[in-house]
Amino acid sequence: MSWLVTGGAGYIGSHVVRELVRAGVDAVVYDDLSSGLEQFVPEGVPFVRGSILDEELLVDSLGRHDVTGVVHVAGYKYAGVSVQRPLHTYEQNVTGTQRLLSAMGRTGVDAVVFSSSAAVYGTPPTELVTEDTPKAPASPYGESKLIGEWLLRDQAVAEGLRHTSLRYFNVVGSGAPDLWDASPHNLFPLVFDALAAGRVPRINGDDYDTPDGTCVRDYVHVADLAVSHVAAARRLDAGEPVEAAYNLGSGGGVSVREIMDAMAEGTGVDFTPEIGPRRPGDPDRIVADGSLAARDLDWQMRHTLLDMVSSAWAAAPRG
Ligand SMILES: NC(=O)c1ccc[n+]([C@@H]2O[C@H](COP(=O)([O-])OP(=O)(O)OC[C@H]3O[C@@H](n4cnc5c(N)ncnc54)[C@H](O)[C@@H]3O)[C@@H](O)[C@H]2O)c1
């Protein structure tokens, strides 16, 4: 009996794999290494190099490793780029999920935890996003994640799939010094790259309707996120009820200026960020209510903003 983690060689998936192992759950990594790194797969954990588009390889892997559930993390995650690459995004996130669910149906694997995203909400017109906040994705990426959730829902009706979707907000930090976020578009790697190159990081706009004028976002630590995936897998294994979706958000939120202050403190690089113009479409504030996940999935903010910065900086590759 084991859990297969698609995308288990990526930033979030590798943390989920380590948490499964820590919890005594056998894990298998299935990843095409399109953005992941084989070195993120722990020793002793079976690794299948393959795409979620390859249904036959999925069928073979699910059977060969006696899989009982899947944490489906693999996906194409760049919301901004997805506007230029909608077909690629849909292929990876929708067709890939459809093939995975088909392979699961063929092999009798009936439990899945899905990596969804805050992007399903678009720009929510509310102070605090709950799971019931209307879905209004603003990119092919957000749309593809919402369709992924619908595929799970529909397979539950058709074949009794047991499922939950975890809607991540801004995932940062590192749970181990040898795991990092290699994304070229995320705030933390961008700021680190700027600091390493001697450039001054920039804040895009300081005239938003927030306490310090900079945008407020919901940052969560990847290690806390991983704990909730294992809790979800355990509930599914035990046949306990789960919600169709959970927000993994802090309920609080921090401003970009607060992040920059934490960056200076956590990296030891003293800098004053430049203030640039607003970016079109950036909402003032997006903060999520994580209380459902706290109730069911052991979701807690166990790390401070400074922990998030310091751990990510310690793990970030240099040079
Ligand atoms: N990082 C965030 O802040 C964030 C926020 C919301 C949702 N998510 C979602 O979480 C998931 C993981 O994000 P991440 O930050 O770890 O990204 P990542 O790029 O580090 O990880 C994705 C992993 O999936 C693998 N992969 C991609 N396409 C694949 C395919 N067709 N077949 C097999 N493997 C494939 C990649 O090689 C990589 O290892 C994604 O689905 C993303 O949409 C991330």
Side-chain angles (χ1 to χ4, degrees):
M1 286 186 29
S2 57
W3 276 71
L4 181 135
V5 183
T6 70
Y11 168 53
I12 295 171
S14 61
H15 283 86
V16 171
V17 170
R18 294 213 183 172
E19 195 58 36
L20 285 168
V21 171
R22 214 185 329 266
V25 179
D26 286 340
V28 179
V29 170
Y30 187 100
D31 197 300
D32 69 357
L33 300 184
S34 52
S35 59
L37 296 171
E38 192 169 350
Q39 73 201 63
F40 283 2
V41 181
E43 265 196 37
V45 171
F47 171 55
V48 181
R49 182 169 185 176
S51 172
I52 51 170
L53 296 169
D54 187 344
E55 186 173 325
E56 297 312 316
L57 185 60
L58 282 167
V59 166
D60 177 74
S61 307
L62 294 170
R64 187 184 298 269
H65 294 284
D66 197 14
V67 172
T68 53
V70 175
V71 184
H72 178 32
V73 182
Y76 184 72
K77 69 168 176 178
Y78 300 122
V81 189
S82 77
V83 177
Q84 272 73 51
R85 302 189 71 193
L87 300 184
H88 177 75
T89 306
Y90 274 87
E91 180 182 52
Q92 297 299 312
N93 295 355
V94 178
T95 309
T97 301
Q98 175 256 312
R99 300 238 167 104
L100 171 67
L101 294 178
S102 176
M104 289 172 64
R106 287 168 58 190
T107 49
V109 178
D110 69 348
V112 63
V113 178
F114 174 55
S115 294
S116 187
S117 170
V120 301
Y121 298 110
T123 303
T126 174
E127 276 286 292
L128 198 59
V129 179
T130 71
E131 287 79 1
D132 293 333
T133 296
K135 313 303 170 291
S139 66
Y141 169 74
E143 289 165 349
S144 72
K145 288 290 175 183
L146 191 54
I147 295 171
E149 293 191 13
W150 293 342
L151 290 174
L152 268 54
R153 176 198 66 191
D154 294 346
Q155 271 299 90
V157 174
E159 296 189 7
L161 181 72
R162 295 171 303 120
H163 64 98
T164 189
S165 295
L166 306 183
R167 296 179 184 145
Y168 314 153
F169 282 68
N170 299 280
V171 188
V172 295
S174 179
D178 56 342
L179 300 179
W180 62 85
D181 180 6
S183 313
H185 305 291
N186 285 1
L187 177 67
F188 273 41
L190 284 173
V191 173
F192 291 162
D193 285 353
L195 293 178
R199 285 181 277 115
V200 178
R202 173 194 288 202
I203 293 178
N204 297 310
D206 65 351
D207 56 352
Y208 288 89
D209 185 15
T210 58
D212 68 17
T214 66
C215 291
V216 170
R217 294 290 179 271
D218 201 341
Y219 284 86
V220 296
H221 195 291
V222 66
D224 295 338
L225 201 83
V227 169
S228 288
H229 287 71
V230 175
R234 282 194 182 288
R235 281 186 85 94
L236 289 169
D237 267 343
E240 291 169 2
V242 286
E243 301 288 340
Y246 293 94
N247 286 339
L248 297 184
S250 68
V254 291
S255 73
V256 176
R257 196 183 292 282
E258 288 172 316
I259 290 167
M260 292 295 177
D261 290 347
M263 287 280 181
E265 192 180 347
T267 63
V269 182
D270 191 20
F271 68 93
T272 305
E274 281 174 15
I275 306 295
R278 284 178 175 225
R279 278 189 317 199
D282 266 350
D284 297 336
R285 173 187 155 93
I286 301 183
V287 177
D289 179 4
S291 51
L292 274 188
R295 185 194 69 192
D296 291 351
L297 304 182
D298 197 13
W299 171 245
Q300 285 177 47
M301 295 288 283
R302 296 176 177 83
H303 295 84
T304 63
L305 179 59
L306 189 56
D307 292 337
M308 297 181 199
V309 170
S310 309
S311 62
W313 177 249
R318 306 276 191 273

